[in-house]
Coordinates of all heavy atoms in Angstrom, one line a residue:
L1 N 0.8 -1.2 0.0 CA 0.0 0.0 0.1 C 0.9 1.3 0.0 O 0.7 2.1 -0.8 CB -0.9 0.1 1.2 CG -1.7 1.2 1.5 CD1 -2.8 1.5 0.4 CD2 -2.4 1.2 2.8
H2 N 1.8 1.4 0.9 CA 2.6 2.4 1.1 C 3.6 2.6 -0.1 O 3.9 3.8 -0.6 CB 3.4 2.4 2.4 CG 2.6 2.8 3.6 ND1 2.9 3.8 4.5 CD2 1.4 2.4 3.9 CE1 2.1 3.9 5.4 NE2 1.1 3.1 5.1
A3 N 4.1 1.4 -0.7 CA 5.0 1.6 -1.8 C 4.2 2.1 -3.1 O 4.8 3.0 -3.8 CB 5.5 0.2 -2.2
R4 N 3.1 1.7 -3.3 CA 2.3 2.2 -4.5 C 1.9 3.6 -4.3 O 1.9 4.5 -5.3 CB 1.1 1.3 -4.7 CG 1.5 -0.1 -5.1 CD 0.3 -1.0 -5.5 NE -0.5 -0.6 -6.5 CZ -1.6 -1.1 -7.0 NH1 -2.1 -2.2 -6.2 NH2 -2.3 -0.7 -8.0
A5 N 1.5 4.0 -3.0 CA 1.2 5.4 -2.8 C 2.4 6.3 -2.9 O 2.2 7.4 -3.6 CB 0.6 5.4 -1.3
A6 N 3.5 5.9 -2.5 CA 4.7 6.7 -2.6 C 5.1 6.9 -4.1 O 5.5 8.0 -4.4 CB 5.9 6.0 -1.9
G7 N 4.9 5.9 -4.9 CA 5.1 6.0 -6.3 C 4.3 7.1 -7.0 O 4.9 7.9 -7.8
V8 N 3.0 7.1 -6.7 CA 2.1 8.0 -7.4 C 2.3 9.4 -6.8 O 2.2 10.4 -7.5 CB 0.6 7.6 -7.3 CG1 0.1 7.8 -5.9 CG2 -0.2 8.2 -8.3
L9 N 2.7 9.6 -5.5 CA 2.9 10.9 -4.9 C 4.2 11.5 -5.6 O 4.3 12.7 -5.8 CB 3.1 10.7 -3.5 CG 1.8 10.5 -2.7 CD1 2.1 10.1 -1.1 CD2 0.9 11.7 -2.8
A10 N 5.1 10.6 -5.9 CA 6.4 11.1 -6.5 C 6.0 11.5 -8.0 O 6.6 12.5 -8.4 CB 7.4 9.9 -6.6
R11 N 5.2 10.8 -8.6 CA 4.8 11.2 -10.0 C 4.0 12.6 -9.9 O 4.2 13.4 -10.9 CB 3.9 10.2 -10.7 CG 3.5 10.5 -12.1 CD 2.6 9.4 -12.7 NE 2.1 9.8 -14.0 CZ 1.4 9.1 -14.7 NH1 0.9 7.8 -14.4 NH2 1.0 9.5 -16.0
L12 N 3.3 12.7 -8.9 CA 2.6 14.0 -8.7 C 3.5 15.2 -8.3 O 3.1 16.3 -8.2 CB 1.5 13.9 -7.8 CG 0.3 13.1 -8.3 CD1 -0.7 12.7 -7.1 CD2 -0.5 13.7 -9.4
D13 N 4.7 14.8 -7.9 CA 5.7 15.7 -7.4 C 5.2 16.4 -6.1 O 5.4 17.5 -5.8 CB 6.0 16.8 -8.4 CG 7.3 17.6 -8.0 OD1 8.2 17.1 -7.2 OD2 7.5 18.7 -8.5
E14 N 4.6 15.5 -5.2 CA 4.0 15.9 -3.9 C 4.8 15.5 -2.8 O 5.1 14.2 -2.6 CB 2.6 15.6 -3.8 CG 1.6 16.3 -4.6 CD 1.4 17.8 -4.2 OE1 1.6 18.1 -3.0 OE2 1.3 18.6 -5.1
D15 N 5.3 16.4 -1.9 CA 6.1 16.0 -0.8 C 5.2 15.6 0.4 O 5.2 16.4 1.3 CB 7.1 17.0 -0.4 CG 8.1 16.7 0.7 OD1 8.3 15.4 0.9 OD2 8.6 17.6 1.4
I16 N 4.5 14.5 0.3 CA 3.6 14.0 1.3 C 3.8 12.6 1.7 O 4.0 11.8 0.8 CB 2.1 14.2 0.8 CG1 1.7 15.6 0.3 CG2 1.1 13.7 1.9 CD1 0.4 15.7 -0.4
R17 N 3.9 12.4 3.0 CA 4.1 11.0 3.5 C 2.8 10.2 3.2 O 1.7 10.7 3.6 CB 4.5 11.0 4.9 CG 5.9 11.5 5.3 CD 6.1 11.6 6.7 NE 5.8 10.2 7.4 CZ 6.7 9.3 7.5 NH1 8.0 9.5 7.0 NH2 6.4 8.2 8.2
P18 N 2.9 8.9 2.8 CA 1.7 8.1 2.6 C 0.9 7.9 3.8 O -0.3 7.6 3.7 CB 2.2 6.8 2.0 CG 3.6 7.1 1.5 CD 4.1 8.2 2.2
D19 N 1.5 7.8 4.9 CA 0.7 7.7 6.2 C 0.1 8.9 6.8 O -0.4 8.8 7.9 CB 1.7 6.9 7.2 CG 2.9 7.7 7.6 OD1 3.1 8.8 7.0 OD2 3.7 7.3 8.4
T20 N 0.3 10.1 6.2 CA -0.3 11.3 6.7 C -1.8 11.2 6.6 O -2.4 10.6 5.7 CB 0.2 12.5 5.8 OG1 1.6 12.5 5.8 CG2 -0.4 13.8 6.4
R21 N -2.4 11.7 7.7 CA -3.8 11.8 7.8 C -4.4 12.8 6.7 O -3.9 13.9 6.7 CB -4.3 12.1 9.1 CG -5.8 12.3 9.4 CD -6.2 12.7 10.8 NE -7.6 13.1 10.9 CZ -8.0 14.4 10.7 NH1 -7.3 15.2 10.4 NH2 -9.3 14.6 10.8
L22 N -5.3 12.4 5.8 CA -5.7 13.2 4.8 C -6.3 14.5 5.3 O -6.1 15.6 4.7 CB -6.8 12.5 4.0 CG -7.1 13.3 2.6 CD1 -6.7 12.7 1.4 CD2 -8.6 13.6 2.6
G23 N -7.1 14.5 6.5 CA -7.6 15.7 7.0 C -6.7 16.8 7.3 O -7.1 18.0 7.5
S24 N -5.4 16.5 7.5 CA -4.4 17.5 7.9 C -3.8 18.3 6.7 O -3.1 19.2 6.8 CB -3.3 16.8 8.6 OG -2.6 15.9 7.7
L25 N -4.2 17.8 5.4 CA -3.7 18.4 4.2 C -4.6 19.7 3.9 O -5.7 19.8 4.2 CB -3.7 17.4 3.1 CG -2.9 16.2 3.3 CD1 -3.0 15.3 2.0 CD2 -1.5 16.4 3.6
S26 N -3.9 20.5 3.0 CA -4.6 21.6 2.5 C -5.6 21.1 1.4 O -5.5 20.0 0.9 CB -3.7 22.7 1.7 OG -3.1 22.1 0.7

């Protein structure tokens, strides 16, 4: 789960940890 999430976040060029709670994001 975290590996695939990290891959797509890298493609989006987003510096976000996969385990971050979504509600804390802008």
Side-chain angles (χ1 to χ4, degrees):
L1 172 66
H2 282 230
R4 294 180 65 183
V8 77
L9 290 171
R11 182 177 177 185
L12 292 169
D13 196 23
E14 285 293 325
D15 186 20
I16 303 172
R17 289 174 53 88
D19 57 358
T20 301
R21 178 179 168 273
L22 184 109
S24 67
L25 301 181
S26 68

